Amino acid sequence: MRKFKEMTPTVILTILIIYFGVLIGISHFVSRKDSSNAAFFSANKNAKWYLVAFGMIGTALSGVTFISVPGEVGSPGGEQFKYFQFVLGNAVGFIVTATVLLPLYYRLSLVSIYEYFEKRLGFYSYKTAAAIFLVSRTIGSAFRLYLVVIVFQRFVFDAFGIPFAVTGLISLALIYAYTYKSGLKAIIITDTLQTFFLVSSVILTIVFICHSLDLNAIEAFETVKNSSYSKIFFWEDFVGNRFHFIKQFLGGMFVTIAMTGLDQDLMQKNLSCSNIKDAQKNMFTFTGIFVLINIFFLGVGALLYIYADANGVEVPLDFVTGKPRTDLLFPEIAFHHLALFPAVVFLLGLIAATFATTDSALTALTTSFCIDFLGMDKPENANNPKNVTTRKMIHLIFCFVMFGVIVVFNAINDASVVSMIFKIASYTYGPLLGLFTFGMFFKNRKVHDKWVPFICISSPFITLYLSNHSVTLFNGYVFDNELIIINGFITLVLLLVISFKNKKHLSE
């Protein structure tokens, strides 16, 4: 395909302005009659399941997925399509969430899923679980947004002399502008639109690259299949290979159960459906689309490297380390080597993937804090006229907290350190896995509630120690995503140690 006009920073900025103008307009239309807390927290419990299912794709697939998954296909580590093993585990995790956790949440009529712990284990367990979510989701979402702000900074805002911090602040201000009034009610609509852009972008990118390589659909499939990028299943060396199928599959399964089923963010959307049957239809539909779209992402990755090899495109270097940075290959090719329209399509997909994740996270963080720490759903507080104003202020505060985390990431400016921070953040979901396992499968036992926070703090550090010394401790074994299982198991064992027989035996 002949490049007839390069994607300039001015063009990108214009598209950004139009895009967010549309989102803000939609939000204003949706919230013009109802900006209540019920609309913000649960979309008044009348969301259409098919809108939730489609919109959840944008929430589940962040900008990191959009640029990193394709980039990793050709990484020096030889990852190829190994990520699909993880995706298969994800699919099983979504099914477990739909069939085990969703019925529990609906039966208890929860707004925040962590309210379950107050009824089952006690006050301190409840607050600990909510705090784990707040810390984990803030760090994780800020990290995802940070990596994409880097792309915007490099390809757009550097040209205008705008500092990185201002770019990050603008990004969060735009999200706040279309979420602060009606939160989840608006997000269900805006994320449906953003998911449309995301899915369209991936499919059209495949079309554009195939056209530029003079390949039809069948030829493209055969080219990818016969390339050095298409290995899916890794069965070699279970002990030392972190790509091994069992590690990736089990890790994908339990990461999904913990970071979706036990996470207020995605569960908040599920709980906006009017009944459990609609919520489950949403989850099953979402699972099918999720698996399919990840196949497309991996296909894009292989085609990007095939295109790069054919056209002499080098993987961009990191400005700090000077090493190749694979997650910049997609934007490099889209902005500098394809025509204007493919570049616009890529940009819309990247924006959609990034902001559909972050807007949902900010809404979930606000909801959790307002419900779990301010008790806005309690009968004595439900009719307080100041609740809406307080909720908007909390929403703004979380924007600034996330902005602060992004600035810290940028100040560290070391990919290995940042990756470790993100990995540690994912460790914190292990205690949630242990807490829920104890609560659901050991109903004849209670815990000494005041000890729970110490256990949930200790477990990730024990897990981190085991991970760092696994080669020595376990005869060469190398952990990967399955580490969350160890984390949850340690938490469960420690909870059993401090437990005692529940004479009342709560019937749940």
Side-chain angles (χ1 to χ4, degrees):
M1 180 180 293
R2 184 175 59 89
K3 181 178 69 172
F4 59 88
K5 186 175 181 181
E6 186 171 301
M7 189 70 154
T8 65
T10 302
V11 173
I12 298 175
L13 185 60
T14 302
I15 293 171
L16 285 170
I17 293 171
I18 295 172
Y19 185 91
F20 282 102
V22 171
L23 293 186
I24 293 170
I26 292 173
S27 174
H28 176 75
F29 178 80
V30 170
S31 61
R32 69 192 189 285
K33 293 182 179 179
D34 187 4
S35 58
S36 65
N37 282 348
F40 188 96
F41 297 147
S42 61
N44 297 312
K45 289 282 188 179
N46 62 3
K48 303 299 182 184
W49 70 266
Y50 44 86
L51 292 179
V52 176
F54 192 64
M56 278 178 61
I57 297 296
T59 303
L61 299 174
S62 68
V64 176
T65 305
F66 195 86
I67 58 178
S68 291
V69 169
E72 285 183 350
V73 167
S75 69
E79 301 199 12
Q80 302 184 62
F81 277 23
K82 69 92 179 173
Y83 182 70
F84 192 65
Q85 301 175 124
F86 185 77
V87 171
L88 291 175
N90 292 156
V92 176
F94 289 133
I95 293 171
V96 172
T97 297
T99 55
V100 177
L101 293 173
L102 274 180
L104 172 68
Y105 299 152
Y106 270 86
R107 188 164 67 247
L108 297 176
S109 300
L110 302 180
V111 176
S112 166
I113 63 176
Y114 308 116
E115 293 175 289
Y116 166 74
F117 291 116
E118 185 173 30
K119 301 176 182 181
R120 176 65 180 86
L121 299 180
F123 175 84
Y124 291 99
S125 299
Y126 169 39
K127 300 301 180 184
T128 300
I132 289 171
F133 165 72
L134 292 177
V135 173
S136 302
R137 180 52 69 179
T138 298
I139 294 176
S141 296
F143 180 80
R144 292 179 177 95
L145 184 59
Y146 161 74
L147 288 184
V148 178
V149 170
I150 287 177
V151 174
F152 290 154
Q153 187 68 34
R154 179 165 183 160
F155 292 99
V156 184
F157 292 99
D158 276 344
F160 298 100
I162 296 175
F164 176 88
V166 176
T167 303
L169 192 61
I170 290 172
S171 300
L172 286 163
L174 290 169
I175 294 172
Y176 180 81
Y178 71 86
T179 58
Y180 81 98
K181 282 189 176 181
S182 57
L184 190 61
K185 185 177 180 180
I187 284 174
I188 287 171
I189 304 300
T190 58
D191 279 6
T192 299
L193 177 65
Q194 296 198 92
T195 299
F196 171 78
F197 285 130
L198 188 158
V199 173
S200 300
S201 176
V202 175
I203 295 173
L204 288 174
T205 297
I206 292 175
V207 172
F208 295 140
I209 296 178
C210 287
H211 182 65
S212 67
L213 293 170
D214 294 322
L215 299 173
N216 59 36
I218 296 176
E219 291 171 338
F221 176 82
E222 289 297 325
T223 300
V224 171
K225 178 182 176 182
N226 297 324
S227 72
S228 59
Y229 306 112
S230 60
K231 183 177 179 179
I232 297 176
F233 298 107
F234 291 74
W235 299 101
E236 307 84 9
D237 187 16
F238 172 74
V239 173
N241 184 7
R242 64 187 181 91
F243 297 168
H244 194 279
F245 174 80
I246 293 177
K247 295 180 181 181
Q248 291 295 316
F249 181 83
L250 290 178
M253 176 180 171
F254 282 93
V255 163
T256 296
I257 293 171
M259 298 185 70
T260 298
L262 310 181
D263 182 281
Q264 178 65 24
D265 190 351
L266 283 170
M267 284 301 97
Q268 187 169 353
K269 286 190 171 183
N270 281 284
L271 296 175
S272 68
C273 296
S274 58
N275 57 70
I276 179 62
K277 288 185 179 180
D278 280 355
Q280 288 178 322
K281 282 192 291 186
N282 151 53
M283 280 297 293
F284 294 139
T285 304
F286 159 76
T287 300
I289 300 173
F290 178 84
V291 172
L292 183 62
I293 198 66
N294 272 289
I295 293 174
F296 286 137
F297 269 119
L298 292 167
V300 165
L303 289 170
L304 284 172
Y305 280 98
I306 292 169
Y307 178 93
D309 291 340
N311 292 274
V313 180
E314 299 289 337
V315 176
L317 301 179
D318 187 281
F319 285 151
V320 178
T321 65
K323 298 179 180 179
R325 185 156 185 174
T326 59
D327 53 10
L328 292 178
L329 179 63
F330 198 171
E332 171 66 24
I333 291 176
F335 289 153
H336 295 155
H337 297 274
L338 296 179
L340 180 61
F341 183 62
V344 171
V345 168
F346 165 79
L347 178 62
L348 290 175
L350 178 62
I351 297 170
T354 303
F355 291 96
T357 301
T358 310
D359 60 20
S360 180
L362 279 172
T363 301
L365 289 167
T366 302
T367 299
S368 178
F369 192 87
C370 290
I371 299 298
D372 298 325
F373 290 94
L374 300 183
M376 286 190 181
D377 64 329
K378 304 297 183 186
E380 62 271 21
N381 298 327
N383 297 320
N384 188 335
K386 295 182 180 179
N387 277 351
V388 173
T389 301
T390 302
R391 181 255 296 165
K392 290 179 180 178
M393 183 58 65
I394 296 299
H395 198 54
L396 182 62
I397 289 172
F398 271 112
C399 284
F400 279 107
V401 170
M402 195 171 290
F403 169 71
V405 176
I406 289 172
V407 170
V408 170
F409 281 142
N410 192 53
I412 294 172
N413 216 3
D414 184 328
S416 62
V417 175
V418 173
S419 296
M420 179 56 67
I421 291 173
F422 184 50
K423 189 174 183 180
I424 291 174
S426 70
Y427 285 179
T428 59
Y429 282 90
L432 286 179
L433 188 62
L435 282 168
F436 268 98
T437 302
F438 181 91
M440 295 183 68
F441 295 103
F442 295 89
K443 294 182 180 180
N444 63 332
R445 302 195 69 81
K446 293 279 286 183
V447 294
H448 292 285
D449 187 39
K450 290 185 178 180
W451 294 3
V452 171
F454 299 102
I455 286 176
C456 291
I457 291 173
S458 302
S459 178
F461 283 101
I462 295 173
T463 305
L464 182 63
Y465 176 83
L466 293 177
S467 176
N468 289 339
H469 298 85
S470 65
V471 174
T472 302
L473 295 173
F474 305 114
N475 196 29
Y477 188 88
V478 177
F479 282 107
D480 198 63
N481 292 308
E482 82 281 10
L483 197 62
I484 194 170
I485 304 173
I486 305 301
N487 197 349
F489 180 73
I490 291 171
T491 304
L492 176 61
V493 170
L494 293 177
L495 288 173
L496 288 171
V497 169
I498 66 165
S499 69
F500 56 92
K501 194 165 184 179
N502 180 14
K503 295 180 181 179
K504 294 184 180 180
H505 195 307
L506 295 179
S507 178
E508 299 174 333

